Amino acid sequence: MIIRDAVVGDVEQMSAFLKELTASGKRKSPDDEAFVAAHYIDAPGKIRCSVADDEGSVLGFQSLQRAEDGNKWGVEPGWGVIGTHIRPSAARRGVGRALFAVSRKAAEVASITAIDATIAADNPEALAYYEAMGFRTYRTSSGLICKCFEIT
Ligand SMILES: CC(C)(COP(=O)(O)OP(=O)(O)OC[C@H]1O[C@@H](n2cnc3c(N)ncnc32)[C@H](O)[C@@H]1OP(=O)(O)O)[C@@H](O)C(=O)NCCC(=O)NCCS
């Protein structure tokens, strides 16, 4: 498995496993190819979007974006905003951990000092994952738990 930049050619696979996550109730946002292209590959404020590639099979991806003024997440402008999506058949094999090592480095290079992860309160796997990566809860709101990773 290698971690590399996501490219347009990955969109079909990314969308396909986001649809699996939607079907299992683990995703609420859109999952179509146009959404993936616009919100991850060509996202405004994109710092890095990485995929885990196992001989052409995309096992997961992680998006890191800069929170702009008035951003939809209500995150402090200048912070990073992270999202992680692993193909269900590849879960708990270290893919998310490998992706975060690269995203963390990208945040440092971009002079980001803190990263927000906003997680549904009823998503114990994601809460455990971000906690294991060093994120800590800093605010909660209507079914959401926001965790912060400070880059020191
Ligand atoms: C949550 C998610 C990102 C984790 O990614 P992953 O590749 O499975 O995680 P890793 O295998 O790298 O696990 C890293 C650590 O996170 C924790 N962790 C990950 N999945 C876990 C789970 N299901 N239960 C408990 N802890 C878990 C563990 O501490 C793990 O370390 P360990 O395996 O050495 O014990 C992935 O399962 C996923 O994409 N879920 C669906 C989409 C989603 O909820 N995304 C987050 C939305 S904000």
Side-chain angles (χ1 to χ4, degrees):
M1 176 181 80
I2 59 161
I3 307 298
R4 60 167 174 78
D5 268 328
V7 294
V8 172
D10 298 316
V11 165
E12 187 179 347
Q13 289 194 64
M14 293 161 75
S15 170
F17 64 75
L18 287 182
K19 288 184 194 317
E20 287 184 52
L21 292 171
T22 301
S24 65
K26 292 182 176 168
R27 181 176 175 83
K28 308 276 189 303
S29 300
D31 51 22
D32 56 277
E33 292 184 21
F35 181 90
V36 170
H39 289 81
Y40 300 119
I41 307 289
D42 296 325
K46 175 172 130 176
I47 296 169
R48 182 169 177 134
C49 182
S50 306
V51 293
D53 179 334
D54 183 13
E55 298 183 343
S57 176
V58 176
L59 302 182
F61 69 95
Q62 189 162 63
S63 156
L64 178 66
Q65 299 172 19
R66 188 186 302 272
E68 311 284 5
D69 287 343
N71 67 84
K72 63 183 176 188
W73 307 286
V75 170
E76 182 73 21
W79 282 25
V81 176
I82 201 164
T84 313
H85 313 277
I86 308 301
R87 186 185 287 274
S89 60
R92 205 68 194 267
R93 285 168 37 188
V95 176
R97 190 183 290 279
L99 284 165
F100 185 62
V102 171
S103 296
R104 179 189 171 148
K105 189 78 196 159
E108 284 174 16
V109 169
S111 300
I112 295 287
T113 56
I115 305 174
D116 170 277
T118 298
I119 308 144
D122 62 355
N123 188 345
E125 297 92 353
L127 291 167
Y129 164 71
Y130 282 113
E131 195 73 26
M133 295 305 101
F135 287 69
R136 297 292 176 258
T137 300
Y138 75 99
R139 63 174 179 161
T140 59
S141 67
S142 59
L144 295 175
I145 295 177
C146 299
K147 291 182 176 288
C148 173
F149 182 89
E150 289 184 41
I151 297 171
T152 51

